[in-house]
């Protein structure tokens, strides 16, 4: 990503009045550049087909900050409620300098695995603004810690808003004015709506021994890392390797000090790989730039090569 694009993302906040603060981190970013950012870095939560589904959990976000913009097709006001909930995972804790280095990488597919912002995009809801005029509000829920971070660092604020706007444009086929105004005295417009997140699955790990016999281990994930745990080497491939359509991901994780799959604790979330070991030798926590078909994922540990292979079909 070139320096010009980075400057566009890092536009400084500009005060327009005592009531509102205007930020324009997206000005002059081309549609192609913005689309690339959204596809690689955003994580969108979709409502389940049935609210009674056992695969989903409902939660009520809490207010955070609110932006005002407009629909360029209809000229109607749009409010972007950036909400918060501990139900949403926090992204990897990196510095502004580290974020810039990731964005600057030529291999954007690889960069997307290094930093991703988990979020949930709620459904659009009709509201009335202060003048009583009709408007549309969208609720975007992120982790509370990341909400604090974007308010402190303009780099992360611009980065978040770029993927939020592109995500909404793609999901609802609308065109949003990127000259957003941060409302100083408003944390939320309208009524907070219920949102849903997909529950984590617990895949079986198939163990292949030297005789090619297969045993299965029901993994029990452990989310906490021990400071003595080592981050294993890993590679993640996409299939097919080229084109916009990604059918599945394959992760190969090297675990040279593991003897049996029985010591592995693997959890695959909607967009996350969480691996731990009962002996606390290894710990790996990766957010993926794609949503997974959790029920169709599978894992296999080869006792000879000491490599854990995870196959993960990608949602359409």
């Amino acid at each position: 990503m070139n320096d010009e694009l980075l400057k566009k993302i890092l536009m400084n906040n500009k005060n327009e009045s005592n009531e509102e603060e205007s930020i324009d981190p997206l000005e002059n970013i081309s549609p192609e550049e913005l689309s690339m950012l959204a596809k690689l870095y955003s994580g969108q939560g979709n409502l389940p087909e049935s609210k009674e589904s056992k695969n989903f959990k409902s939660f009520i976000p809490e207010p955070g900050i609110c932006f005002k913009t407009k629909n360029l097709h209809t000229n109607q006001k749009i409010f972007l409620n950036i909400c918060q909930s501990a139900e949403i995972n926090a992204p990897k804790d990196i510095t502004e300098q580290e974020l810039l280095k990731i964005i600057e990488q030529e291999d954007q597919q690889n960069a997307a695995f290094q930093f991703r912002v988990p979020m949930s995009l709620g459904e659009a809801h009709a509201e009335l603004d202060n003048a009583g005029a009709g408007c549309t509000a969208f609720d975007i829920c992120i982790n509370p810690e990341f909400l604090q971070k974007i308010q402190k660092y303009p780099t992360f604020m611009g980065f978040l808003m770029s993927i939020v706007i592109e995500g909404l444009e793609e999901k609802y086929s609308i065109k949003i004015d990127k000259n957003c105004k941060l409302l100083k005295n408003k944390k939320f417009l309208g009524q907070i709506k219920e949102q849903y997140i997909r529950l984590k699955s617990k895949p079986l790990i198939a163990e292949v021994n030297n005789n090619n016999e297969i045993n299965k281990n029901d993994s029990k994930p452990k989310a906490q890392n021990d400071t003595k745990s080592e981050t294993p080497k890993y590679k993640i491939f996409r299939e097919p390797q080229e084109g916009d359509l990604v059918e599945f991901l394959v992760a190969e994780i090297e675990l040279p000090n593991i003897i049996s799959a029985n010591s592995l604790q693997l959890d695959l979330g909607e967009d996350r790989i969480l691996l731990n070991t009962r002996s606390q030798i290894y710990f790996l926590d990766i957010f993926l730039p794609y949503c997974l078909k959790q029920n169709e994922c599978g894992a296999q540990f080869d006792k000879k090569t000491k490599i854990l292979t995870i196959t993960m079909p990608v949602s359409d």
Side-chain angles (χ1 to χ4, degrees), residues 40-295:
L40 290 178
Y41 295 100
S42 68
Q44 300 178 22
N46 296 317
L47 287 174
E49 295 180 359
S50 170
K51 293 183 179 180
E52 303 301 325
S53 172
K54 295 181 179 180
N55 295 326
F56 291 85
K57 176 183 179 180
S58 65
F59 67 98
I60 303 295
E62 297 180 3
I65 56 179
C66 183
F67 289 88
K68 182 177 74 174
T69 181
K70 65 180 178 179
N71 186 325
L72 293 177
H73 291 158
T74 64
N75 209 38
Q76 185 183 52
K77 290 181 182 178
I78 289 178
F79 291 85
L80 305 177
N81 296 317
I82 309 299
C83 315
Q84 56 183 320
S85 174
E87 297 290 348
I88 304 296
N89 293 319
K92 182 180 179 181
D93 187 18
I94 63 175
T95 65
E96 287 185 292
Q97 291 73 23
E98 290 172 327
L99 176 59
L100 293 177
K101 288 181 180 179
I102 291 174
I103 296 175
E104 288 174 333
Q105 291 188 31
E106 294 183 1
D107 186 354
Q108 289 298 307
Q109 291 289 346
N110 179 63
F113 288 107
Q114 299 182 33
F115 184 71
R116 182 168 183 262
V117 181
M119 69 178 73
S120 175
L121 298 185
E123 296 299 302
H125 49 101
E127 301 291 347
L128 296 176
D129 63 13
N130 291 336
C135 61
T136 302
F138 296 96
D139 304 339
I140 301 93
C141 191
I142 59 177
N143 183 272
E145 293 180 3
F146 191 62
L147 176 62
Q148 294 180 6
K149 191 168 190 174
I150 67 172
Q151 293 179 86
K152 186 176 181 180
Y153 300 105
T155 313
F156 289 94
M157 176 74 81
F159 185 79
L160 175 69
M161 294 310 296
S162 68
I163 58 180
V164 163
I165 289 180
E166 173 62 20
L168 291 173
E169 288 183 333
E170 184 172 325
K171 183 175 182 179
Y172 293 101
S173 300
I174 57 177
K175 189 66 176 177
I176 299 176
D177 187 351
K178 298 174 179 60
N179 184 25
C180 302
K181 295 180 180 178
L182 176 60
L183 305 181
K184 289 184 176 181
N185 300 317
K186 187 180 292 293
K187 295 183 177 181
F188 195 94
L189 179 80
Q191 295 184 347
I192 298 180
K193 305 294 182 180
E194 187 177 41
Q195 292 197 30
Y196 296 83
I197 54 173
R198 188 186 297 272
L199 296 176
K200 299 176 181 179
S201 63
K202 299 179 181 180
L204 293 177
I205 302 177
E207 180 181 274
V208 180
N209 57 32
N210 294 335
N211 298 322
N212 290 327
E213 296 176 351
I214 297 180
N215 299 314
K216 291 186 176 181
N217 167 45
D218 188 0
S219 62
K220 297 181 179 179
K222 180 180 179 181
Q224 295 183 348
N225 183 16
D226 188 284
T227 55
K228 298 180 180 179
S229 299
E230 176 185 347
T231 300
K233 295 180 180 179
Y234 68 91
K235 297 178 181 178
I236 300 179
F237 309 91
R238 50 161 287 180
E239 292 292 342
Q241 296 183 1
E242 298 181 355
D244 294 333
L245 179 63
V246 179
E247 296 182 1
F248 60 92
L249 303 174
V250 177
E252 294 183 354
I253 305 173
E254 299 179 18
L255 304 169
N257 296 321
I258 296 299
I259 299 176
S260 170
N262 290 330
S263 64
L264 299 179
Q265 301 169 333
L266 176 65
D267 183 18
L268 297 181
E270 185 178 19
D271 58 358
R272 184 185 187 188
I273 299 175
L274 179 62
L275 175 67
N276 205 343
T277 58
R278 293 187 176 90
S279 54
Q280 298 182 343
I281 298 176
Y282 299 108
F283 180 85
L284 184 64
D285 191 359
I286 311 171
F287 287 103
L288 304 170
Y290 303 95
C291 291
L292 307 177
K293 297 179 181 178
Q294 294 169 277
N295 295 333

Side-chain angles (χ1 to χ4, degrees), residues 19-57:
E19 296 181 355
E20 297 177 342
E21 181 177 320
S22 174
I23 71 167
D24 190 7
L26 314 174
E27 184 179 11
N28 298 323
I29 295 181
S30 71
E32 293 77 13
E33 292 170 329
L34 200 54
S35 178
M36 176 186 66
L37 282 173
K39 290 180 180 178
L40 290 178
Y41 295 100
S42 68
Q44 300 178 22
N46 296 317
L47 287 174
E49 295 180 359
S50 170
K51 293 183 179 180
E52 303 301 325
S53 172
K54 295 181 179 180
N55 295 326
F56 291 85
K57 176 183 179 180

Side-chain angles (χ1 to χ4, degrees), residues 298-316:
Q300 178 175 287
F301 178 68
D302 191 317
K303 294 180 65 176
K304 184 176 182 180
T305 63
K306 303 299 182 69
I307 292 178
L308 175 66
T309 301
I310 310 172
T311 303
M312 300 164 284
V314 173
S315 299
D316 298 332

